[in-house]
Amino acid sequence: MTQDKIRNIGIMAHIDAGKTTVSERILFYSGKIHKMGEVHDGEAVLDWMDQEQERGITITSAATTTEWKDHQITLIDTPGHVDFTVEVERSLRILDGAVALFCAVGGVQPQSEQVWRQSEKYNVPKIAFINKMDRIGADFFGVLENIQTTLGANAVPMVVPIGKENQFEGIIDLLTMKAVYYDETNQGTTFREEEIPTNKLAKAKKWRANLVEKSAEQDDKLLEKFLQTDDLSDKEILGIIRKATIARHIIPVYCGSAFKNKGIQRLLDGIVNFLPSPTDLPPTIHAKNDKIQRIHSADEPFSALAFKIVADKHMGKLTLIRIYSGQVKSGTVVYNSTKDQEQRIGRIIRMHANRQESIDMAQCGDIVGVVGLSKTRTGDTLCCKDNPILLESIEFPAPVVSISISPKSRTDNDKMIDALQHLSDEDPTFIVSYDSETKETIISGMGELHLEVLVERLKREFLVTANVGRPEVAYRETAVSLVEGEYKHVKQTGGRGQYGHVCMRLEPMEPGNGFEFLNEVKGGHIPSEYIPSVEKGVIAALQKGPLAGYPVVDIRVIVFDGSYHDVDSSEFAFMEAGRMCFKQLFMQTHPELLEPIMSLEVISPEEYVGDVSGSICKRRGRIESMDEREGIRITRAMAPLSEMFGYANTIRTLTQGRGSFTMSFEHYEAVPFAIAEGIIKKRIEQNKVR
Ligand code: GDP
């Protein structure tokens, strides 16, 4: 398969818009599934999905490859909500285009709006599919307007529906100007193309004119031709719409009913015709040196990004990779440039809907699973050692909440640790650690729900039932003002003494900058071999901050002077000097405690909106906006995580089960002084501060 025939796409949708049904139909029509399951019947959707659930894996649904009209399409699983930040981020990072799915009745629902915005941030070209045209209340043109106004998208219909609700028969293709009717009795595999019925002709002409006009707007030459002849050829339209979609100037719009098997083949045509292939993408650039680039070609040196790791009972650890350039063969050795380690490629697996195919070789544009990459983690680059490159990794935020965890049955401890390790291999925002002081295993993640789901998976997939402690917020400490000072570590207790003397400056940095250490010592006042020891001492002090024992962030430490003693100076003495100097100076910077702030979106019926905003304000939250959409209210707010534990219950009670909310980590902010005092006092009582 040449690269221009490859489409790597995601389907983005609000929960319930029909993502599962549409994906399944896509796989059915593209010939890879031979039996169609039915969500409606309450039956399992797909045989293979059932198997997957039994085996507790999600290999196939993570990236499923199929073919349509000589093109290779890989469907990448894209979550419909943003609670699981990591899933959204990683799928958007590796897909090239997306189908935005909307319900013909529900239109642009709040969560689809969020995912849409995220996809815009990643510059993902999209086409839209308005599904469920057979439902009562279906309104194609209403949803079209909704997409244009709410999402600000230049949405251009490629088809218009013939009828709606139970009269929904098919579509008019505005490119071929033919009516397409689907045969319900034969699972829609057969369809007829006919002349447009006379009573629909005026409408079809109007929307064809719109398509031509929108196409002409995209290009001066076409505009000129359009102004002269009032029309464009199909080839011209196809060409310009493809270009404009990839440039994100246009969103081509399709419609149908996945459930009634209508309109899916045209959607597949749309994917192939308008969404980008790897050859349409700009070259991949080295994360730290923009002179090193790879064009998307199989002839270039190999480069790939590991974007997901799944644990399979039969195959062990399977690493999903997206290949950006070159090719890779099973049995060869590649270079993990993130870890500076060589890795042997075991089996290479292409995942189809109902089977896994072992292949000998994969190349640029392919998304495949690889067995045997024991040292490779999510976000790592794999490449060719003689021609290395480091691709931009997938950014994962540090966990913001922790709980202690222990197995219900004591004998399960090893099994639990093992299972937790598996889960954290799969999910980089899930971290397992051991607190040597309390002798507890601690799991940390992106929110209460995130950890709840993982504890549930522990039970379901690894058969370990666990007790969990109370959630704890991951606070941080930071400096507010610049401070300079010195510290001398001197000890003379018989034998060889200790001497280390450092002068240091502590400077606050912008949020998100972590830690920086600079050496500005001149004239050898501190011999250079001792500088790493000073840094080591500072890092030790950073990890357990002087204020309340939380990690210190966003600080620059500059060592600019000091002195040493020929006999008594040692690495240890300078480490102690670094550690103590930092501790003392940090407390003079007017340090602050930082807490994670969550962005919150509550959806509720109108009558509860007062109670909802009351509940947010009571939790030190700030309401940012309130929107109204077809009888429901969307309240967006920022609130500190520490106040949000158990909020799911609160919302359920307040709205009698009719409200819902999503929450995701936004940033760190200073804890108000009075509250910080209380936290620090408690930490000192618990002996958490040295
Ligand atoms: P997901 O949550 O987005 O994956 O949505 P599903 O594919 O599970 O669909 C949600 C519900 O909508 C199921 O009951 C489907 O049978 C139903 N559904 C999906 N597509 C259509 C459609 O085109 N028309 C109708 N009437 N129902 C549909």
Side-chain angles (χ1 to χ4, degrees):
M1 190 79 58
T2 51
Q3 269 69 55
D4 60 323
K5 295 265 165 47
I6 293 178
R7 302 289 179 274
N8 292 319
I9 63 154
I11 299 183
M12 317 183 327
H14 181 83
I15 296 158
D16 233 34
K19 192 173 82 177
T20 312
T21 316
V22 170
S23 311
E24 199 231 22
R25 295 306 193 263
I26 285 181
L27 297 172
F28 178 78
Y29 292 120
S30 51
K32 300 290 172 183
I33 293 185
H34 302 292
K35 177 174 171 261
M36 214 188 278
E38 208 50 80
V39 186
H40 246 50
D41 300 341
E43 249 181 41
V45 190
L46 297 168
D47 290 349
W48 51 270
M49 273 204 167
D50 237 16
Q51 274 172 25
E52 263 195 349
Q53 272 158 12
E54 245 170 56
R55 293 163 56 189
I57 51 163
T58 42
I59 297 180
T60 23
S61 57
T64 315
T65 301
T66 187
E67 276 176 28
W68 179 252
K69 295 192 175 166
D70 285 336
H71 286 72
Q72 168 181 308
I73 299 178
T74 298
L75 282 185
I76 296 138
D77 188 34
T78 317
H81 52 95
V82 291
D83 281 14
F84 299 94
T85 332
V86 48
E87 292 296 334
V88 182
E89 296 271 330
R90 80 162 120 224
S91 60
L92 290 175
R93 171 74 172 75
I94 54 134
L95 50 76
D96 301 333
V99 175
L101 196 69
F102 300 95
C103 167
V105 184
V108 180
Q109 285 146 315
Q111 282 167 29
S112 37
E113 198 176 326
Q114 266 181 327
V115 185
W116 180 282
R117 296 241 156 80
Q118 250 173 327
S119 76
E120 286 290 283
K121 204 177 87 186
Y122 279 81
N123 304 327
V124 175
K126 289 177 281 286
I127 62 179
F129 186 74
I130 300 176
N131 187 33
K132 301 200 186 185
M133 281 304 301
D134 61 307
R135 265 189 64 189
I136 293 177
D139 179 5
F140 176 81
F141 296 101
V143 177
L144 177 70
E145 201 185 313
N146 210 206
I147 298 173
Q148 287 161 340
T149 50
T150 313
L151 302 176
N154 186 14
V156 180
M158 300 303 298
V159 302
V160 287
I162 303 175
K164 61 177 181 181
E165 303 174 347
N166 59 4
Q167 306 289 318
F168 176 62
E169 291 177 78
I171 53 185
I172 293 170
D173 184 329
L174 298 173
L175 210 57
T176 57
M177 284 303 267
K178 285 271 176 338
V180 188
Y181 297 97
Y182 296 85
D183 183 1
E184 272 185 48
T185 57
N186 200 12
Q187 294 194 324
T189 40
T190 48
F191 55 85
R192 322 183 296 283
E193 287 194 7
E194 291 179 9
E195 292 308 313
I196 298 169
T198 43
N199 63 346
K200 296 277 186 292
L201 200 56
K203 196 167 196 176
K205 280 190 172 154
K206 174 183 154 200
W207 285 101
R208 160 87 187 184
N210 175 69
L211 174 61
V212 174
E213 205 178 306
K214 291 283 185 180
S215 301
E217 272 174 13
Q218 296 296 323
D219 183 288
D220 287 348
K221 264 199 199 126
L222 291 184
L223 187 61
E224 213 170 288
K225 181 179 171 201
F226 170 69
L227 293 175
Q228 282 162 11
T229 62
D230 213 24
D231 204 3
L232 298 176
S233 73
D234 292 355
K235 201 170 153 210
E236 282 166 332
I237 296 175
L238 269 174
I240 194 67
I241 297 276
R242 175 172 183 80
K243 213 166 131 194
T245 306
I246 293 170
R248 297 191 305 120
H249 295 153
I250 272 186
I251 307 284
V253 182
Y254 290 83
C255 73
S257 159
F259 178 58
K260 295 273 164 99
N261 305 308
K262 292 176 182 168
I264 301 291
Q265 291 95 332
R266 280 296 193 278
L267 171 65
L268 274 161
D269 290 344
I271 290 172
V272 162
N273 286 339
F274 304 131
L275 290 180
S277 77
T279 52
D280 295 307
L281 306 175
T284 320
I285 298 172
H286 191 297
K288 294 189 177 142
N289 177 0
D290 58 14
K291 292 212 174 67
I292 302 180
Q293 300 192 351
R294 298 273 182 278
I295 51 168
H296 297 264
S297 152
D299 302 329
E300 288 267 292
F302 171 65
S303 71
L305 185 78
F307 68 93
K308 189 171 178 128
I309 288 166
V310 286
D312 181 85
K313 278 194 187 130
H314 305 283
M315 281 182 287
K317 197 166 119 179
L318 188 74
T319 308
L320 302 188
I321 62 167
R322 149 107 205 217
I323 304 177
Y324 284 94
S325 63
Q327 38 179 269
V328 67
K329 289 198 175 82
S330 74
T332 55
V333 172
V334 296
Y335 176 59
N336 179 329
S337 55
T338 315
K339 298 273 188 311
D340 185 21
Q341 240 158 9
E342 295 199 333
Q343 289 268 267
R344 176 174 288 277
I345 301 274
R347 278 171 67 197
I348 303 177
I349 289 161
R350 198 189 294 287
M351 289 132 329
H352 299 286
N354 51 356
R355 71 199 158 94
Q356 291 157 9
E357 177 194 5
S358 277
I359 51 177
D360 297 332
M361 196 261 295
Q363 60 171 344
C364 172
D366 281 339
I367 293 180
V368 290
V370 176
V371 183
L373 301 176
S374 53
K375 300 270 171 16
T376 299
R377 305 273 309 204
T378 304
D380 286 1
T381 301
L382 297 174
C383 58
C384 150
K385 187 147 194 198
D386 302 335
N387 248 318
I389 188 167
L390 183 70
L391 305 177
E392 194 164 323
S393 185
I394 306 175
E395 259 181 56
F396 298 113
V400 291
V401 56
S402 303
I403 47 173
S404 66
I405 184 166
S406 58
K408 276 224 165 84
S409 141
R410 278 182 154 265
T411 51
D412 275 355
N413 200 46
D414 287 352
K415 204 166 138 192
M416 181 186 85
I417 302 289
D418 205 38
L420 288 175
Q421 201 51 53
H422 260 299
L423 292 171
S424 102
D425 272 349
E426 286 184 20
D427 179 349
T429 58
F430 175 61
I431 295 195
V432 186
S433 57
Y434 182 72
D435 186 331
S436 53
E437 278 164 27
T438 58
K439 308 221 173 344
E440 284 174 314
T441 302
I442 308 288
I443 54 173
S444 316
M446 294 318 296
E448 211 181 358
L449 179 67
H450 183 206
L451 292 181
E452 258 170 38
V453 168
L454 286 158
V455 171
E456 186 53 36
R457 283 189 63 191
L458 196 63
K459 187 166 146 194
R460 220 182 47 232
E461 295 170 27
F462 298 90
L463 310 175
V464 179
T465 312
N467 291 319
V468 295
R470 280 169 54 82
E472 301 261 349
V473 171
Y475 292 101
R476 306 258 190 271
E477 300 177 15
T478 199
V480 173
S481 52
L482 187 145
V483 166
E484 233 177 64
E486 62 180 317
Y487 186 87
K488 235 182 216 167
H489 178 76
V490 190
K491 271 202 178 131
Q492 238 103 33
T493 42
R496 190 181 158 192
Q498 292 177 24
Y499 186 96
H501 171 212
V502 293
C503 300
M504 231 180 230
R505 190 161 62 242
L506 267 50
E507 289 178 8
M509 284 200 294
E510 288 294 305
N513 277 308
F515 163 63
E516 216 176 281
F517 181 85
L518 297 179
N519 171 22
E520 288 179 2
V521 177
K522 304 241 160 53
H525 291 184
I526 300 176
S528 59
E529 70 258 35
Y530 292 136
I531 299 291
S533 306
V534 177
E535 185 175 4
K536 232 189 238 171
V538 171
I539 290 175
L542 278 177
Q543 282 164 354
K544 201 159 186 184
L547 183 61
Y550 292 109
V552 178
V553 293
D554 307 329
I555 193 160
R556 182 180 294 122
V557 175
I558 301 152
V559 188
F560 61 91
D561 205 359
S563 62
Y564 71 104
H565 183 279
D566 277 339
V567 180
D568 290 349
S569 280
S570 65
E571 287 180 358
F572 177 78
F574 272 102
M575 196 173 90
E576 273 306 282
R579 193 173 71 86
M580 290 308 295
C581 189
F582 177 84
K583 273 182 79 163
Q584 289 191 354
L585 291 182
F586 183 74
M587 290 309 279
Q588 297 168 25
T589 65
H590 306 99
E592 268 181 348
L593 209 56
L594 301 175
E595 62 179 342
I597 302 292
M598 310 298 277
S599 101
L600 182 73
E601 190 171 284
V602 186
I603 297 164
S604 67
E606 168 105 52
E607 62 259 44
Y608 303 113
V609 80
D611 291 340
V612 167
S613 38
S615 75
I616 294 171
C617 295
K618 220 170 87 191
R619 287 173 168 71
R620 296 197 278 126
R622 294 188 301 267
I623 310 257
E624 308 251 293
S625 70
M626 286 201 190
D627 280 340
E628 196 180 344
R629 197 150 320 143
E630 286 145 27
I632 59 158
R633 288 294 198 103
I634 307 158
T635 310
R636 294 199 176 88
M638 295 286 177
L641 173 66
S642 61
E643 306 280 345
M644 297 307 292
F645 294 129
Y647 193 61
N649 276 336
T650 309
I651 281 294
R652 215 171 294 135
T653 318
L654 277 182
T655 65
Q656 304 184 344
R658 293 170 62 201
S660 66
F661 79 107
T662 55
M663 191 164 78
S664 58
F665 167 68
E666 193 63 36
H667 58 255
Y668 271 90
E669 254 176 44
V671 180
F673 185 71
I675 295 169
E677 292 249 283
I679 298 170
I680 295 167
K681 196 163 155 246
K682 211 164 129 204
R683 296 278 289 180
I684 291 173
E685 281 165 13
Q686 291 170 338
N687 252 338
K688 297 273 188 193
V689 190
R690 257 187 284 181

